[in-house]
Amino acid sequence: QVQLVESGGGLVQPGGSLRLSCLGSGVPLSRWPVNWYRQAPGKEREPVVNMGYTDDSTTYAESVSGRFTISRDNAKNVVYLQMNKLKSEDTAVYFCSLKVFTTKWNDYWGQGTQVTVSS
């Protein structure tokens, strides 16, 4: 059974940093595409970053490019999202998701972790 558990969210002042973690179980995260999404109050869920699995290529949303960095620790089966220079508009629930192919592509989601950027 595939499970994803996010952690690391919290309250941070503008300009600060947080590192989110996505711990996987039931499947090696290194084998499949991993994504971080976020959903702000009253808004639709939006992609933050995608990491491929063949070459670890990454695609960042323009709004976070240069401030956020995705990385993977295969030994721990964890994907991280390092968030620097946080802005109030980064406030959202952050989710990691995984696409796994068996007989078809399946999407798996964590429960989310709240990030609040406020002074």
Side-chain angles (χ1 to χ4, degrees):
Q1 183 180 1
V2 178
Q3 287 191 321
L4 302 172
V5 178
E6 301 97 333
S7 61
L11 174 64
V12 63
Q13 292 186 343
S17 298
L18 280 175
R19 188 178 77 162
L20 306 183
S21 300
C22 174
L23 175 64
S25 60
V27 67
L29 298 184
S30 60
R31 190 174 174 185
W32 305 106
V34 178
N35 304 280
W36 283 96
Y37 283 78
R38 67 185 181 185
Q39 187 166 19
K43 295 187 177 181
E44 293 187 357
R45 192 171 297 188
E46 63 177 7
V48 175
V49 59
N50 165 267
M51 174 179 275
Y53 64 107
T54 56
D55 58 359
D56 278 359
S57 61
T58 56
T59 303
Y60 292 90
E62 186 175 344
S63 59
V64 306
S65 182
R67 300 187 297 122
F68 290 12
T69 304
I70 189 172
S71 62
R72 187 155 40 195
D73 185 330
N74 294 337
K76 296 180 179 179
N77 209 31
V78 174
V79 171
Y80 299 104
L81 183 65
Q82 178 66 44
M83 306 186 297
N84 299 327
K85 299 179 181 178
L86 283 161
K87 306 175 182 179
S88 58
E89 50 262 45
D90 295 318
T91 295
V93 178
Y94 284 72
F95 301 87
C96 66
S97 75
L98 188 69
K99 287 180 131 8
V100 178
F101 186 86
T102 52
T103 57
K104 61 180 177 69
W105 285 104
N106 297 287
D107 290 309
Y108 296 91
W109 294 85
Q111 83 289 349
T113 185
Q114 176 71 48
V115 171
T116 303
V117 184
S118 175
S119 55

